[in-house]
Amino acid sequence: MTRPAALAAGLVLVALLATACGPDQHDQAARPQFSPFTPATSEPAPTTAPTATPTPPPADPTPSRPPAPRSTVGPLDTRRTTGSRGVALTFDDGPSPDWTPKVLDQLRKAQVKATFCVVGVKVRKYPRLVARIVREGHTLCNHSWQHDLELGGRPPAEIRADLSRTNREIRRAVPGARIGYYRQPGGKWTPSVVQVSRELGMVPLHWDVDPRDWDKPGAAAISKRVLAQARPGSIILLHDGGGDRSGTLTACPGLFGALKQKYGIARLK
Ligand SMILES: [Zn+2]
């Protein structure tokens, strides 16, 4: 390219850039100003001042990677990823006579393994379901005695009693069962509950992907959210207990297939 030609090309580029920036700046100016007197609603408060110009994400040389890097560890150094490319499926709040057997059927059909985060009072009520979970090669996770969201804030002795009672109930259902994980209800971790679970030989298990299936958004939304958020090594949070899980169940076969194909499904041990 000759020097005048290069100069001309540069000018055209500058002109194009100026044009491209125009509408954005116009949108910024036209955006309604946030009023401090706006009545409170149930919507979450904006995390940034609406008048602030959002910082554009830096140019990503590897577009296949997610733009905002997520940590590979959970709150308070809890487990969030599998440590391999494979993703892990976790099912919380069971066992449930309505949903757990159906989830187990789907897992068997897809030939994949999952982790079941079970609640003590339900283990006491449905011990045979816990036995089936173990018999079919899945992993167990303690999810507290009665799904106490505030357990982490209680004295360590109380936390220890709760987790130990749950483990005893699991082992009453399945003598000698390995319980390698503890998941705090609601993910409301505290240093105490993390420490006690470790002392009892359980890895505190958080998650990387939460499609909020407990909110019953429907099977299509559950699948879409999981597939949009998943990345290599994600631990995925789903529910087989605690309410109507028909949406989750309907999403399962497609999800298992897609995740298996894209990442592989890892078994937490
Ligand atoms: Zn739960």
mmCIF file of all heavy atoms in Angstrom, residues 242-261:
data_model
loop_
_atom_site.group_PDB
_atom_site.id
_atom_site.type_symbol
_atom_site.label_atom_id
_atom_site.label_comp_id
_atom_site.label_asym_id
_atom_site.label_seq_id
_atom_site.Cartn_x
_atom_site.Cartn_y
_atom_site.Cartn_z
ATOM 1 N N GLY A 242 -37.868 -31.504 47.895
ATOM 2 C CA GLY A 242 -38.267 -30.190 48.387
ATOM 3 C C GLY A 242 -39.388 -29.545 47.594
ATOM 4 O O GLY A 242 -39.611 -28.340 47.733
ATOM 5 N N GLY A 243 -40.097 -30.276 46.772
ATOM 6 C CA GLY A 243 -41.215 -29.691 46.027
ATOM 7 C C GLY A 243 -41.417 -30.414 44.709
ATOM 8 O O GLY A 243 -40.823 -31.469 44.475
ATOM 9 N N ASP A 244 -42.263 -29.833 43.868
ATOM 10 C CA ASP A 244 -42.548 -30.423 42.557
ATOM 11 C C ASP A 244 -41.314 -30.264 41.664
ATOM 12 O O ASP A 244 -40.929 -29.144 41.334
ATOM 13 C CB ASP A 244 -43.757 -29.697 41.945
ATOM 14 C CG ASP A 244 -44.061 -30.182 40.525
ATOM 15 O OD1 ASP A 244 -43.344 -31.067 40.018
ATOM 16 O OD2 ASP A 244 -45.033 -29.665 39.939
ATOM 17 N N ARG A 245 -40.705 -31.371 41.306
ATOM 18 C CA ARG A 245 -39.476 -31.323 40.497
ATOM 19 C C ARG A 245 -39.714 -31.823 39.083
ATOM 20 O O ARG A 245 -38.798 -32.320 38.434
ATOM 21 C CB ARG A 245 -38.367 -32.133 41.180
ATOM 22 C CG ARG A 245 -38.034 -31.662 42.575
ATOM 23 C CD ARG A 245 -37.628 -30.201 42.585
ATOM 24 N NE ARG A 245 -37.318 -29.707 43.915
ATOM 25 C CZ ARG A 245 -37.515 -28.452 44.295
ATOM 26 N NH1 ARG A 245 -38.045 -27.572 43.459
ATOM 27 N NH2 ARG A 245 -37.187 -28.064 45.506
ATOM 28 N N SER A 246 -40.957 -31.674 38.584
ATOM 29 C CA SER A 246 -41.260 -32.179 37.249
ATOM 30 C C SER A 246 -40.446 -31.450 36.171
ATOM 31 O O SER A 246 -40.028 -32.063 35.186
ATOM 32 C CB SER A 246 -42.756 -32.074 36.960
ATOM 33 O OG SER A 246 -43.217 -30.776 37.220
ATOM 34 N N GLY A 247 -40.200 -30.159 36.368
ATOM 35 C CA GLY A 247 -39.411 -29.395 35.395
ATOM 36 C C GLY A 247 -37.992 -29.926 35.309
ATOM 37 O O GLY A 247 -37.447 -30.145 34.219
ATOM 38 N N THR A 248 -37.405 -30.131 36.469
ATOM 39 C CA THR A 248 -36.035 -30.659 36.518
ATOM 40 C C THR A 248 -35.989 -32.028 35.854
ATOM 41 O O THR A 248 -35.102 -32.316 35.041
ATOM 42 C CB THR A 248 -35.572 -30.773 37.987
ATOM 43 O OG1 THR A 248 -35.716 -29.492 38.604
ATOM 44 C CG2 THR A 248 -34.126 -31.224 38.088
ATOM 45 N N LEU A 249 -36.972 -32.862 36.192
ATOM 46 C CA LEU A 249 -36.999 -34.219 35.651
ATOM 47 C C LEU A 249 -37.124 -34.211 34.123
ATOM 48 O O LEU A 249 -36.424 -34.952 33.430
ATOM 49 C CB LEU A 249 -38.160 -34.995 36.274
ATOM 50 C CG LEU A 249 -38.119 -36.481 35.981
ATOM 51 C CD1 LEU A 249 -37.051 -37.161 36.819
ATOM 52 C CD2 LEU A 249 -39.472 -37.117 36.224
ATOM 53 N N THR A 250 -37.989 -33.343 33.621
ATOM 54 C CA THR A 250 -38.167 -33.255 32.161
ATOM 55 C C THR A 250 -36.879 -32.765 31.489
ATOM 56 O O THR A 250 -36.550 -33.190 30.382
ATOM 57 C CB THR A 250 -39.332 -32.301 31.829
ATOM 58 O OG1 THR A 250 -40.488 -32.757 32.530
ATOM 59 C CG2 THR A 250 -39.631 -32.249 30.348
ATOM 60 N N ALA A 251 -36.162 -31.889 32.176
ATOM 61 C CA ALA A 251 -34.921 -31.345 31.598
ATOM 62 C C ALA A 251 -33.789 -32.375 31.599
ATOM 63 O O ALA A 251 -32.871 -32.287 30.770
ATOM 64 C CB ALA A 251 -34.487 -30.111 32.381
ATOM 65 N N CYS A 252 -33.872 -33.324 32.519
ATOM 66 C CA CYS A 252 -32.736 -34.243 32.740
ATOM 67 C C CYS A 252 -32.199 -34.958 31.496
ATOM 68 O O CYS A 252 -30.995 -34.837 31.216
ATOM 69 C CB CYS A 252 -33.067 -35.264 33.829
ATOM 70 S SG CYS A 252 -32.768 -34.636 35.494
ATOM 71 N N PRO A 253 -33.015 -35.693 30.743
ATOM 72 C CA PRO A 253 -32.428 -36.481 29.654
ATOM 73 C C PRO A 253 -31.645 -35.623 28.657
ATOM 74 O O PRO A 253 -30.513 -35.964 28.298
ATOM 75 C CB PRO A 253 -33.641 -37.130 28.970
ATOM 76 C CG PRO A 253 -34.734 -37.081 29.984
ATOM 77 C CD PRO A 253 -34.483 -35.871 30.824
ATOM 78 N N GLY A 254 -32.217 -34.500 28.240
ATOM 79 C CA GLY A 254 -31.541 -33.623 27.288
ATOM 80 C C GLY A 254 -30.270 -33.035 27.874
ATOM 81 O O GLY A 254 -29.230 -32.965 27.211
ATOM 82 N N LEU A 255 -30.370 -32.610 29.130
ATOM 83 C CA LEU A 255 -29.213 -32.016 29.803
ATOM 84 C C LEU A 255 -28.081 -33.022 29.940
ATOM 85 O O LEU A 255 -26.920 -32.701 29.660
ATOM 86 C CB LEU A 255 -29.622 -31.570 31.209
ATOM 87 C CG LEU A 255 -29.987 -30.123 31.413
ATOM 88 C CD1 LEU A 255 -30.278 -29.866 32.883
ATOM 89 C CD2 LEU A 255 -28.869 -29.208 30.927
ATOM 90 N N PHE A 256 -28.429 -34.216 30.399
ATOM 91 C CA PHE A 256 -27.386 -35.238 30.591
ATOM 92 C C PHE A 256 -26.665 -35.478 29.270
ATOM 93 O O PHE A 256 -25.434 -35.526 29.213
ATOM 94 C CB PHE A 256 -27.984 -36.556 31.091
ATOM 95 C CG PHE A 256 -28.611 -36.485 32.469
ATOM 96 C CD1 PHE A 256 -29.343 -37.560 32.961
ATOM 97 C CD2 PHE A 256 -28.462 -35.368 33.276
ATOM 98 C CE1 PHE A 256 -29.920 -37.516 34.224
ATOM 99 C CE2 PHE A 256 -29.045 -35.308 34.541
ATOM 100 C CZ PHE A 256 -29.779 -36.391 35.015
ATOM 101 N N GLY A 257 -27.452 -35.621 28.196
ATOM 102 C CA GLY A 257 -26.855 -35.897 26.890
ATOM 103 C C GLY A 257 -25.950 -34.765 26.440
ATOM 104 O O GLY A 257 -24.807 -34.995 26.008
ATOM 105 N N ALA A 258 -26.440 -33.528 26.560
ATOM 106 C CA ALA A 258 -25.669 -32.378 26.075
ATOM 107 C C ALA A 258 -24.391 -32.188 26.892
ATOM 108 O O ALA A 258 -23.317 -31.924 26.332
ATOM 109 C CB ALA A 258 -26.528 -31.122 26.141
ATOM 110 N N LEU A 259 -24.496 -32.316 28.209
ATOM 111 C CA LEU A 259 -23.321 -32.114 29.068
ATOM 112 C C LEU A 259 -22.296 -33.225 28.862
ATOM 113 O O LEU A 259 -21.089 -32.983 28.855
ATOM 114 C CB LEU A 259 -23.746 -32.058 30.545
ATOM 115 C CG LEU A 259 -24.584 -30.835 30.944
ATOM 116 C CD1 LEU A 259 -25.171 -31.013 32.335
ATOM 117 C CD2 LEU A 259 -23.741 -29.552 30.880
ATOM 118 N N LYS A 260 -22.823 -34.431 28.692
ATOM 119 C CA LYS A 260 -21.939 -35.582 28.480
ATOM 120 C C LYS A 260 -21.125 -35.377 27.204
ATOM 121 O O LYS A 260 -19.922 -35.612 27.166
ATOM 122 C CB LYS A 260 -22.814 -36.831 28.368
ATOM 123 C CG LYS A 260 -22.099 -38.137 28.613
ATOM 124 C CD LYS A 260 -23.133 -39.267 28.591
ATOM 125 C CE LYS A 260 -22.459 -40.612 28.497
ATOM 126 N NZ LYS A 260 -23.449 -41.701 28.424
ATOM 127 N N GLN A 261 -21.817 -34.913 26.178
ATOM 128 C CA GLN A 261 -21.155 -34.731 24.886
ATOM 129 C C GLN A 261 -20.149 -33.582 24.925
ATOM 130 O O GLN A 261 -19.059 -33.682 24.393
ATOM 131 C CB GLN A 261 -22.208 -34.468 23.817
ATOM 132 C CG GLN A 261 -21.668 -34.604 22.411
ATOM 133 C CD GLN A 261 -22.740 -34.335 21.371
ATOM 134 O OE1 GLN A 261 -23.726 -33.638 21.635
ATOM 135 N NE2 GLN A 261 -22.564 -34.885 20.192
#
